[in-house]
Amino acid sequence: MRELIKKLYQVSGNQSKRITNMFIFEVIKNIFEGMTLGAVLLFLLKITQNIFEKREILNEDIISVFAVAFMSVTGKIFFGYMADRNKFIASYTMGAENRLYIGDRLKRVNMGYFSNNRLGDIASGLTTVVGELETVGIYIIEMLFVGVIQTFIMAIFMIPFDFVTGVIIIAALIFGIIINNIFQTKADESTKKLLGLKINLNADMLEYVKGIGVIKSFGKGKEVLKNLEKSISENKKGFFDVEKAVAPVGILFLLIFKLAICVIIFASLTRYTQGEISAHKAIMLIVSSFIVFGGFEMTGSMQNIMGVAVQNLDALTKLRDIPTIEEGEKQTVDNCEIEMQDINFSYNDDTLFKNLSVVIPDGKTTAIVGPSGSGKTTLCNLMARFWDVNYGKILVGKTDVKDYSYDYLLSNFSFVFQDVYLFDDSIRNNIKFGNTDATDDEMIEVAKLARCHDFIMQLKDGYDTILQEGGSNLSGGERQRISIARAMLKPSKFVILDEATSSVDPENEEQLMTALKNLLKGKTAIIIAHKLDTIREADKIIVLDRGSVESIGTHDELMKISKVYKNFIIQRQDAIKWQLSN
């Protein structure tokens, strides 16, 4: 219990005070709950005194019982409301804060994290784990806390009334806690496995739905569905395993308190027959024995979901501790030159760059060409610090990228990737994503330059058209042109275009290239492209081959000195001449 509460505070953030208030109000509420037992005992006392001792029940007795009961009910309602108010505000606010906190950390995580962890696992952590914490996590912890506190408070109320019964109650509580701690480890192992199965099932479901088009096109529906059915079956078995692990513990836990009730009844009757206590006191002790363990019995019945709460908190703590890249504080770029000094970089154990050095000149357009797998996209990702090099330095404006504030560094880069992703939002908000302060006129101007204004206006809702996930209700070329408009609107010093015109219609390409050329004036631009016109117009061309710089120069210079570049150009020219024959 203590460890569970400790873990809750570790993820509570700014809501720790509300959680503390919840526990305090729960303690006070349970004090009034103890008064309920006092009211019952007082009522039984007056009734049994009337039966056995022929004492008359006076109006004062009725008023006393009513007063105690009224105070108990009123206190429980008020402090129960205060506890619930703090609980609900804390749980949902804590869920939102954790999602934002983890989202912010994910923004500053090395891209290797996403290579080693499935997107579905990350998404499940932010949905399943945080969602269960919001809806049932705090409730479980609260109920466990209430069960323990309620029974201890009733035991404290009982001790002044009858010391022997109070000792029996406390002994049963201590024994029950010991038994619970002994068997909880086994239950935790099962619930930890179950959480992994639930996250895996969510990830498999997400992958199945996202890839349904590819699955159908290759006729692999049955095979993929078998894998999904396997995950579902394993998930079901995981639930059964948890129940099998905790059911014996729950039975033993409840048995302890049922035996304690029997001991209280036996002791009360024995002491009555021996003349140690009166008949009315024996009756009150017997009745109270059926009430006093109610809270702890409830705790025992929640052993299975207690383990779930523990594993959810552990998983959330793990997400909160995702290692992020170190960053500096500098928020000014002195000039727009990018220099790589003897950098080494590898994906896990596969070395890509070794002692690579290159300079991207300030305010110029640099094209990067090379065969597939030569490291073109990786080189651009290193410039923007999506990855960190294993060795060497990357300087932006003569300053190591690690010395910049990460958010500031990224704010100076605009990207147009080969694989475009648009958000499930309006076209307007997608274009303004990098510059929310832009006016509609500015947005429309860049949309016209990017050759996407006309097709947007043909849509029923124009710029207010809501895009489906990833922009799936648009063609590939339309998505790419919107992403170009988005990059144009962002006020950045560096522009990275990764096959930015690969999906643009031929009739729009010339105008789009003119727009890009005007956009890139005065900016440091890095272009990964296979189209000859784009390459020829670059101020500088870097040729990569097998993770190293094969040569650097202009188009004319490289045609004379670079065999790799010359072969590349010949292949491009042959591709242009290629046509279908009748």
Side-chain angles (χ1 to χ4, degrees):
M1 170 64 70
R2 183 178 63 181
E3 188 67 22
L4 188 61
I5 294 175
K6 180 182 176 182
K7 290 177 179 178
L8 176 62
Y9 274 102
Q10 287 175 349
V11 301
S12 62
N14 296 327
Q15 300 306 306
S16 58
K17 185 177 180 180
R18 288 191 184 278
I19 292 174
T20 300
N21 290 340
M22 178 192 74
F23 286 131
I24 291 173
F25 288 129
E26 284 291 354
V27 171
I28 298 173
K29 186 188 82 171
N30 280 282
I31 292 174
F32 283 97
E33 189 77 43
M35 290 179 63
T36 302
L37 177 61
V40 172
L41 293 177
L42 183 59
F43 173 74
L44 289 173
L45 176 64
K46 299 304 178 181
I47 295 295
T48 52
Q49 284 179 341
N50 177 262
I51 295 172
F52 295 105
E53 299 177 8
K54 306 301 180 182
R55 291 187 186 181
E56 185 181 355
I57 297 178
L58 304 174
N59 289 334
E60 289 81 357
D61 297 329
I62 298 173
I63 293 172
S64 297
V65 173
F66 175 78
V68 175
F70 180 79
M71 288 177 60
S72 172
V73 171
T74 304
K76 283 195 299 181
I77 291 174
F78 176 75
F79 288 104
Y81 164 76
M82 294 300 295
D84 286 344
R85 185 175 186 273
N86 280 275
K87 175 182 67 179
F88 290 126
I89 293 175
S91 62
Y92 291 111
T93 306
M94 186 168 67
E97 288 179 351
N98 272 285
R99 287 189 179 96
L100 291 170
Y101 178 83
I102 295 168
D104 183 66
R105 288 187 73 85
L106 287 173
K107 186 176 63 176
R108 294 180 285 116
V109 163
N110 190 296
M111 293 298 289
Y113 176 82
F114 299 98
S115 299
N116 298 326
N117 294 271
R118 291 196 304 173
L119 177 61
D121 293 340
I122 300 169
S124 296
L126 289 171
T127 53
T128 302
V129 173
V130 179
E132 287 186 356
L133 176 65
E134 285 177 322
T135 54
V136 297
I138 292 186
Y139 171 77
I140 293 168
I141 297 169
E142 179 197 31
M143 290 297 100
L144 294 171
F145 178 79
V146 166
V148 175
I149 293 298
Q150 185 183 101
T151 307
F152 269 108
I153 288 175
M154 287 191 173
I156 293 170
F157 270 84
M158 183 61 69
I159 288 175
F161 182 73
D162 188 81
F163 181 77
V164 174
T165 303
V167 170
I168 294 172
I169 294 171
I170 292 176
L173 293 179
I174 294 173
F175 191 55
I177 291 172
I178 292 172
I179 293 296
N180 177 70
N181 289 338
I182 291 173
F183 289 96
Q184 189 62 48
T185 303
K186 184 179 179 181
D188 286 346
E189 290 175 359
S190 298
T191 51
K192 183 177 181 179
K193 183 180 178 181
L194 175 61
L195 179 62
L197 291 171
K198 287 162 67 178
I199 290 176
N200 187 62
L201 176 59
N202 284 340
D204 287 343
M205 288 288 290
L206 180 63
E207 188 173 282
Y208 177 77
V209 173
K210 290 185 70 174
I212 192 69
V214 177
I215 293 168
K216 285 184 175 182
S217 64
F218 282 89
K220 297 290 184 179
K222 291 184 178 179
E223 295 178 23
V224 176
L225 195 58
K226 283 182 180 179
N227 293 330
L228 185 59
E229 288 173 348
K230 182 182 177 182
S231 292
I232 294 171
S233 297
E234 290 176 347
N235 202 61
K236 180 182 73 174
K237 184 178 180 297
F239 276 104
F240 285 147
D241 289 342
V242 169
E243 293 300 329
K244 290 177 183 177
V246 301
V249 183
I251 293 172
L252 182 60
F253 197 73
L254 292 175
L255 182 62
I256 292 170
F257 298 112
K258 297 306 181 184
L259 288 174
I261 292 173
C262 294
V263 171
I264 292 173
I265 294 172
F266 178 78
S268 300
L269 292 174
T270 301
R271 292 163 67 202
Y272 168 69
T273 57
Q274 293 176 354
E276 295 180 12
I277 58 175
S278 62
H280 60 265
K281 187 170 186 178
I283 292 172
M284 285 188 287
L285 292 176
I286 292 170
V287 171
S288 64
S289 68
F290 291 98
I291 302 173
V292 73
F293 293 116
F296 229 68
E297 288 178 352
M298 177 183 65
T299 300
S301 68
M302 299 177 69
Q303 289 301 307
N304 55 343
I305 52 179
M306 175 182 172
V308 173
V310 171
Q311 300 310 322
N312 280 338
L313 287 171
D314 285 342
L316 184 56
T317 301
K318 185 178 178 181
L319 280 173
R320 288 175 60 91
D321 292 338
I322 293 172
T324 59
I325 59 177
E326 297 180 1
E327 60 179 314
E329 298 180 355
K330 187 173 181 180
Q331 295 195 6
T332 55
V333 175
D334 299 327
N335 65 71
C336 297
E337 179 186 85
I338 300 175
E339 181 180 0
M340 298 185 171
Q341 297 180 347
D342 297 320
I343 65 167
N344 288 3
F345 179 75
S346 60
Y347 291 109
N348 297 322
D349 296 327
D350 300 325
T351 301
L352 179 58
F353 299 135
K354 187 174 182 180
N355 299 327
L356 184 147
S357 296
V358 70
V359 175
I360 308 296
D362 181 359
K364 303 293 183 180
T365 297
T366 300
I368 301 177
V369 300
S372 178
S374 59
K376 302 183 294 296
T377 299
T378 300
L379 195 67
C380 292
N381 287 339
L382 290 173
M383 295 176 194
R385 211 187 170 194
F386 285 176
W387 300 81
D388 271 338
V389 295
N390 304 121
Y391 179 79
K393 287 184 178 182
I394 297 178
L395 307 179
V396 172
K398 304 297 183 182
T399 300
D400 195 318
V401 289
K402 296 179 180 179
D403 294 331
Y404 286 103
S405 162
Y406 192 57
D407 284 341
Y408 176 76
L409 179 68
L410 288 179
S411 71
N412 282 283
F413 281 84
S414 288
F415 303 89
V416 179
F417 296 108
Q418 185 174 4
D419 298 321
V420 175
Y421 188 86
L422 300 178
F423 296 98
D424 184 5
D425 202 343
S426 67
I427 293 178
R428 181 190 310 278
N429 289 340
N430 268 278
I431 296 177
K432 287 187 175 184
F433 184 75
N435 185 7
T436 55
D437 295 329
T439 65
D440 284 352
D441 289 340
E442 291 172 330
M443 174 196 67
I444 292 171
E445 182 180 351
V446 298
K448 289 179 178 178
L449 290 172
R451 307 299 298 168
C452 58
H453 175 74
D454 291 341
F455 82 76
I456 292 174
M457 295 309 296
Q458 291 175 6
L459 299 173
K460 179 181 177 182
D461 297 318
Y463 284 92
D464 293 318
T465 300
I466 300 299
L467 299 180
Q468 296 173 6
E469 184 178 0
S472 58
N473 51 335
L474 298 177
S475 70
E478 289 170 341
R479 290 198 300 272
Q480 197 156 39
R481 278 178 277 168
I482 287 178
S483 73
I484 291 171
R486 179 168 60 188
M488 286 180 172
L489 193 60
K490 182 181 178 182
S492 56
K493 296 180 173 66
F494 305 91
V495 179
I496 295 178
L497 305 177
D498 188 349
E499 293 291 350
T501 61
S502 61
S503 299
V504 176
D505 300 329
E507 59 267 25
N508 290 320
E509 184 176 356
E510 183 178 351
Q511 292 172 305
L512 181 59
M513 290 305 300
T514 301
L516 286 175
K517 189 174 182 181
N518 292 330
L519 166 72
L520 299 179
K521 282 182 179 178
K523 292 186 177 183
T524 300
I526 303 97
I527 299 176
I528 299 173
H530 289 105
K531 294 190 175 182
L532 294 182
D533 291 341
T534 305
I535 298 168
R536 285 194 184 105
E537 292 181 4
D539 299 304
K540 183 177 184 179
I541 302 171
I542 299 172
V543 182
L544 295 180
D545 185 34
R546 298 179 183 179
S548 63
V549 176
E550 191 267 347
S551 54
I552 299 174
T554 63
H555 170 75
D556 294 335
E557 292 170 345
L558 293 173
M559 288 298 290
K560 298 176 182 177
I561 64 174
S562 173
K563 183 178 179 181
V564 173
Y565 183 77
K566 188 174 181 179
N567 289 336
F568 173 80
I569 295 297
I570 292 172
Q571 291 173 1
R572 294 299 97 198
Q573 289 173 337
D574 290 342
I576 293 172
K577 297 175 184 177
W578 182 84
Q579 61 182 4
L580 288 172
S581 60
N582 295 328

